[in-house]
Amino acid sequence: MLHTRMTKRYLFKAAGTAALGVAGAGMVARRPVADAQTSDLLTVAKSRGLSPDEARAALATYVPPGKYDEALMFASGGQSGQVLVFGIPSMRLLRVIAVFSPESWQGYGYSDESRSVLRDTSPESVADIPGLTWGDTHHPAISQMNGDYDGEWLFINDKANARMAVISLKDFETKQIVQNPTAAIDHGATVSPNTDYVLESTQYAVPFPRTKYVPLDQEHYNNEYRGVATFWKFDRTRGRIDQAHSFQIELPPYWQDLASFGKGPSEGWVFINSFNTERAIGGTLEHKPPIEIGASANDMDYLHVINWKKAEALVAAGKTTVVNGIKVISLKDAAENGVLYFVPEPKSPHGVDVAPRGDYIVIGGKLDPNATVYSWAKVRQLINAGKSVGKDAYGVPILSFKDAVAAQVKLGLGPLHTNFDDKGNAYTSLFIESAVAKWTLGAPYHSADEAWKVVDKLPVQYNIGHLAAYQGDTAKPMGKYLVAINKWSVDQYKGIGPLRPQNLQLIDISGPKMRMLYAAPVGNAEPHFAEIIPLGKLRAWDVYPPGTNELTMRPDPNAVQPGKERIARHGKTVEVWMTAMRSHYTPDHIVANKGDKVVIHITNIEQALDATHGFAVHAYNINLSLEPGKVETITFTADRPGVFPYYCTEFCSALHLEMAGYLEVKP
């Protein structure tokens, strides 16, 4: 009975206010209508067995047809090699952005343009890694100005192959992939407050550079294996990473992990976690400790504190060596010139997150129950005073842990990552405990008696890794929503086989207590990190301007207008300028001889919203997606004689099935 009354109270308020359009909160006109609607909602809630909180959550996340989410979340797709785009608060999957893996719905990896992106653009002195058809995306980073998202670009790393991709948020398409010339595995991807640089931090140390062989034994590992921090220079005018003006800092063979740029008082600095300062290399078959044991022996690892502005000055002064085509500041020069410092941190750290004002750096140590908070003012004072407690084996100054720490806040088991809201609160994922902890920052966010306290904890299902709050890693967090990115779903979804989906859970953080709102299974990827941006900051195109090349975002020289379609032969090359519109291709008959090179430029001359056309050719592994206004080119060898239908894979009109043609290849 109490359950019914509580549910009725929730639903009556929602129905009476929203459905009747009343002006004042709590005012209900035409009560009989409101009563009828509330009764209907109550019937639905009871039939579904919803508790009052569940009914409230359903109303809080429902986005009606024709209305829009207020924000978008860009989440990595893990082993899928892609980026996932979710609406907030609906948690609907709105888009998959193809990045490191071919994706047939978008025709990604089939057109000349997208194939050229997937081939990557390594420095010329480094051979491309051939045959890659997948990536492991981990840490998306939205471009920023003044420490706040600007909604123009998105960057994502490929952990498996140490690559970085650039995505335009005008069309949500990948424009560039660069291969790290010296590193094998990366983990972090983050941008400076004004997107001067995209930082790629390595994880597992390899011979430096990766292109040479060095035996894996302890002596060689200590002396010739290295990590690197790669500062990819981003050219906003071109919308591309400028490899010629990028640089690296050589780091010890500790396993560097995630990174965050400073902002406000800490701008010009960047912070990178590390683990395995033990330099363990395993050897289980030789009865040596496995890496996970060896890499967890020390009580402390090292937070890397890097003055990237000073590093930039060293590069400008020519104090670098060119290695595999990129400028590198040596470990010795970094240590001796005030570029690199270490601060001890609890062992096996993972997340490193800078508070909104740039005054605190929060570390989550997987094997420590505390969030360790460093005061930037204290760290800077130690650096300015030249105070250190010694140097590591590679000559890097080590700052005093106790003199750098502002607080340690006991959160629970397995703290990993932290995001922030607009009220001075921090939210940390607890992997082992399967929970989110909400806690308070110190001054100036909270008074002394309120600071550094856990104020709430919410269970999640299960084994949370990263979390993402609404603009929660910027200088201007917005609070309101947080998404828990859970690794296991266990008992949440039934009847789908042994491979279970990841489980994203939307949490309301607008009040004193966190409220669970919604769970969204992800059955095609393993999200790691995510970032949430208001929809109003994005200026995505609805259609391409007529005749646009998707890579240059400018008019394509091979765009063709209606009436100008044609086929030309140049020796053994057949070149076609084709248009696509509802519901036909022009031309719809192409003739080639066996062995000819065939080049087809297709212009979708539509400008109607959502009037996308496809282009698929039987037996030739050709599949394109042609959004309105786009031009794409496909080049292939007609090595198989026969007659091959081509057709539109998008159901674009009533005569969709008639949108077809023939490729005739003569023996």
Side-chain angles (χ1 to χ4, degrees), residues 569 572 591-596 620 638-644 663-667:
R569 174 177 283 279
K572 290 188 66 62
V591 179
N593 297 319
K594 182 182 178 182
D596 281 348
Y620 271 92
D639 54 4
R640 184 174 301 151
V643 178
F644 305 92
L663 167 67
E664 183 180 347
V665 181
K666 297 180 178 180

Side-chain angles (χ1 to χ4, degrees), residues 47-103:
S47 70
R48 298 291 309 281
L50 300 179
S51 70
D53 281 343
E54 290 167 342
R56 178 190 180 279
L59 291 170
T61 58
Y62 178 64
V63 177
K67 294 188 178 181
Y68 306 128
D69 283 289
E70 66 178 87
L72 294 184
M73 180 175 74
F74 294 91
S76 64
Q79 307 94 319
S80 73
Q82 321 295 33
V83 170
L84 311 180
V85 185
F86 293 88
I88 301 290
S90 73
M91 293 303 293
R92 296 177 296 198
L93 178 60
L94 303 178
R95 177 72 190 265
V96 174
I97 302 175
V99 187
F100 295 112
S101 303
E103 206 286 315

Side-chain angles (χ1 to χ4, degrees), residues 391-455:
K391 296 181 178 180
D392 83 327
Y394 300 92
V396 180
I398 303 171
L399 308 180
S400 166
F401 175 75
K402 68 180 182 63
D403 292 335
V405 169
Q408 285 193 293
V409 186
K410 192 170 184 178
L411 302 180
L413 301 178
L416 295 181
H417 304 282
T418 300
N419 260 206
F420 307 92
D421 68 12
D422 55 344
K423 299 179 180 66
N425 300 307
Y427 300 81
T428 300
S429 56
L430 304 175
F431 179 84
I432 297 173
E433 197 169 330
S434 290
V436 174
K438 176 182 178 180
W439 52 283
T440 55
L441 295 171
Y445 303 92
H446 289 281
S447 63
D449 61 331
E450 295 176 326
W452 314 123
K453 294 181 179 178
V454 176
V455 294

Side-chain angles (χ1 to χ4, degrees), residues 156-187:
I156 186 74
N157 69 307
D158 168 19
K159 176 176 176 175
N161 304 293
R163 294 182 291 175
M164 187 67 66
V166 180
I167 300 164
S168 171
L169 294 181
K170 285 188 174 66
D171 63 350
F172 288 42
E173 299 278 353
T174 303
K175 306 302 177 185
Q176 183 187 26
I177 294 174
V178 294
Q179 173 75 57
N180 195 302
T182 67
I185 298 285
D186 68 27
H187 198 204

